[in-house]
Amino acid sequence: MLKKIEKDATERMEKSVKALEGELAKIRTGRASVSLLDHITVDYYGSQVPLSQAANVTVNDYRSLTIQVWEKPMVAVIEKAIITSDLGLTPNTAGQTLHINLPPLTEERRRELVKVVNKEGEAAKVAIRNIRRDANTAAKRLVDAKEVSEDEGKRAEADIQKITDKHIEAVDKVLAQKEKELLEI
């Protein structure tokens, strides 16, 4: 029963780390990346679909992206979706192709993005700690119900703490990597 609680906590903590990685992928570094446009959705004949389902996005070089739109009427829709997104990018249109040049980040903007990254990291750590609390509460319930001994409960609590520490460390590594990317010129 305790192993099941630990396994569940581990899976939930891993999901928190993956969610953080997904959020950080949306934050623009100085480099072009296809994942930069992942969260943009477009109105494709009445339904909202991810940009990747209406066009092909490729990286030209480290500062530019090319979007090859599959259908001519969708060019204006995709262009508008990119302009109205929170990315602050303006595409250049040439037929059914959109080119996006990423402006270099200023030092001030890099510092702001580092603060955003740290805020996201702290949210992930809080989520992991909440999972630890839930797991410890479940283990204490088993001890109180006399389904497991107090020693087993203490051991489970220690194991849950080790799992928590491992995942907090993983969050710190992800944050350090993203900070390094952001501050690299």
Side-chain angles (χ1 to χ4, degrees), residues 8 16 26 40 54 59 69 72 79-80 84 95 100 102 113 123 136 147 154 158 160 173 179:
D8 178 56
S16 293
K26 295 177 189 173
I40 295 179
V59 177
V69 183
K72 186 120 176 107
E79 186 175 20
K80 183 179 180 200
T84 58
I100 299 176
L102 301 173
L113 290 174
N136 284 339
E147 292 181 35
K154 294 282 185 199
I160 290 167
K173 283 181 183 174
E179 274 187 46

Side-chain angles (χ1 to χ4, degrees), residues 45-179:
Y45 300 110
S47 61
Q48 291 292 319
V49 298
L51 177 65
S52 61
Q53 291 182 11
N56 188 29
V57 182
T58 56
V59 177
N60 285 349
D61 57 39
Y62 76 104
R63 290 248 194 257
S64 65
L65 295 171
T66 299
I67 303 167
Q68 185 64 47
V69 183
W70 296 327
E71 299 176 30
K72 186 120 176 107
M74 291 302 298
V75 173
V77 175
I78 291 173
E79 186 175 20
K80 183 179 180 200
I82 292 169
I83 291 170
T84 58
S85 72
D86 59 350
L87 296 173
L89 300 174
T90 306
N92 300 320
T93 308
Q96 284 184 238
T97 305
L98 301 172
H99 298 284
I100 299 176
N101 292 317
L102 301 173
L105 295 173
T106 63
E107 184 67 25
E108 183 180 328
R109 181 68 179 140
R110 289 175 193 272
R111 298 278 176 218
E112 288 173 20
L113 290 174
V114 166
K115 288 179 185 173
V116 170
V117 165
N118 287 329
K119 186 175 149 199
E120 291 288 341
E122 194 53 43
K125 289 178 183 180
V126 167
I128 289 170
R129 290 181 193 120
N130 287 340
I131 295 165
R132 175 188 61 193
R133 184 196 63 220
D134 294 346
N136 284 339
T137 302
K140 282 180 184 157
R141 259 192 243 117
L142 290 176
V143 171
D144 292 343
K146 305 277 190 237
E147 292 181 35
V148 296
S149 71
E150 282 191 30
D151 287 345
E152 289 174 317
K154 294 282 185 199
R155 201 172 309 116
E157 211 171 287
D159 290 345
I160 290 167
Q161 184 60 47
K162 287 177 189 169
I163 293 166
T164 302
D165 292 343
K166 182 178 106 178
H167 286 88
I168 294 285
E169 191 176 308
V171 166
D172 288 337
K173 283 181 183 174
V174 169
L175 291 177
Q177 178 62 36
K178 190 65 176 185
E179 274 187 46

